[in-house]
Amino acid sequence: NAGVTQTPKFQVLKTGQSMTLQCAQDMNHEYMSWYRQDPGMGLRLIHYSVGAGITDQGEVPNGYNVSRSTTEDFPLRLLSAAPSQTSVYFCASSLESDGYGYTFGSGTRLTVV
Amino acid sequence: SQQGEEDPQALSIQEGENATMNCSYKTSINNLQWYRQNSGRGLVHLILIRSNEREKHSGRLRVTLDTSKKSSSLLITASRAADTASYFCATDSNRDDKIIFGKGTRLHILP
């Protein structure tokens, strides 16, 4: 039982490049979400999904896309990387959105130069 | 804007003392959760308290919730060096499925 797996752990991108951050969970959790963490800002919600085929925007969705074709996977796509997207990205999942704690991945540290 | 705001932003106490941190939020909630994050790691779920509960315990942790004041507190008793971490509250609004985190309290336990 691996929990929530994020890949890669580290990534350096050039401005304008695109990439996909991967997130997979093996706990049959319906609810998955992506956060970014910046110094002094806590965690900010980017996108979330309440189940396969359903996604919605969080607090800071601009510049990011998501899809949820399966229950297990919830990739985050950066369309055209900008230095402002330099951050640590966390994926998290829970059984449902209401009443259950999150299991977090170990994070992806992204630097955009 | 962020739903939860923790207070204080940083806290240093001697090992063995109790640590209290607070969380205030803006809109009505279904649940409030507390998480711990050790430096450079992912967050770990500590405790969840529902809107119809006033107090909950888990080991050395005690969480209270006052929905009339839209606030919660996390008490860690008999602190240990291993408690050094950042602590975050998270709320899920009863209007949507978003779970929103505050900015966190950095707790440092002094030997």
Side-chain angles (χ1 to χ4, degrees):
Chain A
N1 190 341
V4 177
T5 302
Q6 288 186 239
T7 56
K9 293 191 183 304
F10 301 94
Q11 184 71 47
V12 178
L13 286 180
K14 293 183 178 179
T15 297
Q17 286 185 320
S18 62
M19 79 160 295
T20 299
L21 307 185
Q22 301 291 344
C23 175
Q25 52 88 12
D26 61 359
M27 299 170 285
N28 204 31
H29 284 176
E30 290 294 326
Y31 188 80
M32 297 185 73
S33 56
W34 277 100
Y35 292 88
R36 59 176 289 173
Q37 185 174 31
D38 303 293
M41 296 297 293
L43 281 82
R44 291 182 290 172
L45 180 65
I46 304 172
H47 286 285
Y48 64 100
S49 168
V50 299
I54 306 169
T55 64
D56 209 341
Q57 296 182 348
E59 302 170 279
V60 288
N62 291 342
Y64 308 94
N65 271 356
V66 291
S67 60
R68 185 96 180 270
S69 56
T70 66
T71 299
E72 295 77 21
D73 300 298
F74 191 43
L76 178 72
R77 280 181 283 278
L78 280 71
L79 308 173
S80 176
S84 61
Q85 293 178 304
T86 294
S87 187
V88 181
Y89 291 84
F90 287 101
C91 179
S93 73
S94 68
L95 194 60
E96 295 178 5
S97 63
D98 183 9
Y100 296 89
Y102 267 138
T103 300
F104 272 82
S106 57
T108 295
R109 186 172 296 273
L110 176 69
T111 302
V112 182
V113 298
Chain B
S1 62
Q2 287 175 286
Q3 163 79 309
E5 292 290 338
E6 291 88 342
D7 170 64
Q9 291 185 7
L11 178 63
S12 293
I13 60 171
Q14 295 293 136
E15 192 168 13
E17 293 180 340
N18 295 342
T20 299
M21 53 206 86
N22 304 295
C23 170
S24 59
Y25 56 92
K26 299 173 185 174
T27 62
S28 296
I29 61 170
N30 292 325
N31 309 284
L32 186 143
Q33 306 178 50
W34 285 93
Y35 288 80
R36 183 187 72 235
Q37 183 182 35
N38 293 94
S39 180
R41 308 290 292 274
L43 279 73
V44 174
H45 181 253
L46 295 177
I47 197 165
L48 180 149
I49 186 165
R50 299 183 185 278
S51 60
N52 62 355
E53 298 175 311
R54 292 298 168 258
E55 187 170 314
K56 204 163 183 179
H57 297 256
S58 177
R60 294 184 296 114
L61 306 181
R62 172 177 169 255
V63 169
T64 62
L65 179 64
D66 187 335
T67 53
S68 67
K69 295 181 179 178
K70 292 187 170 58
S71 68
S72 173
S73 67
L74 171 67
L75 168 68
I76 304 173
T77 60
S79 62
R80 305 168 180 170
D83 296 326
T84 293
S86 292
Y87 292 82
F88 296 87
C89 68
T91 53
D92 55 349
S93 166
N94 60 11
R95 296 183 302 176
D96 56 35
D97 293 308
K98 297 177 183 176
I99 298 175
I100 304 296
F101 282 78
K103 297 181 180 180
T105 292
R106 295 188 310 279
L107 175 64
H108 185 54
I109 308 300
L110 304 168

